[in-house]
Amino acid sequence: MSGHGGRRTQAERDAITVEIGYALASAAFAAAVLFGAVAGPALLFRLPDGVETLLLRTGGVLAPVLFTVRVVSVLTRFRSADDRTDRTDRTDGTDGTDGTPPGRTDPDA
């Protein structure tokens, strides 16, 4: 997106917004599932105090870590895919093609 230093188009801004929303929603879901899997037994069953405390604290530590890792990985993947698109969308021949726009044939062929 705008690898040439110009302003982003509305479509590019919308794509970023959607990707951020997806990253946050999927991270929240994954963190909730992890917390439920780890701390759920402590919330549902009567367990010894030490085990309950361990499960709740472990879930409380792992869920935010997973949330952060998920958000960073989704946004990093989006950015790297965007960088690849910037490099391969060029029609000046610097992307390894003959310089003709996509969908058109070279008149010299």
Side-chain angles (χ1 to χ4, degrees):
M1 290 187 192
S2 300
H4 58 287
R7 298 190 71 185
R8 290 187 174 106
T9 65
Q10 183 64 43
E12 290 170 333
R13 290 192 305 269
D14 290 346
I16 292 169
T17 302
V18 168
E19 198 66 22
I20 290 170
Y22 168 73
L24 293 173
S26 67
F29 178 76
V33 168
L34 177 75
F35 182 80
V38 174
L43 299 172
L44 293 174
F45 305 112
R46 184 173 275 306
L47 299 172
D49 288 341
V51 174
E52 271 188 27
T53 302
L54 178 68
L55 290 176
L56 288 171
R57 286 185 181 170
T58 302
V61 168
L62 290 179
V65 170
L66 176 65
F67 180 87
T68 303
V69 169
R70 176 68 181 162
V71 168
V72 169
S73 70
V74 169
L75 295 179
T76 302
R77 192 174 332 125
F78 176 72
R79 183 173 178 150
S80 67
D82 181 51
D83 289 345
R84 281 191 306 260
T85 302
D86 281 348
R87 279 184 260 130
T88 59
D89 279 351
R90 297 181 183 162
T91 57
D92 60 359
T94 59
D95 62 346
T97 63
D98 61 358
T100 58
R104 298 190 183 177
T105 58
D106 187 3
D108 297 330

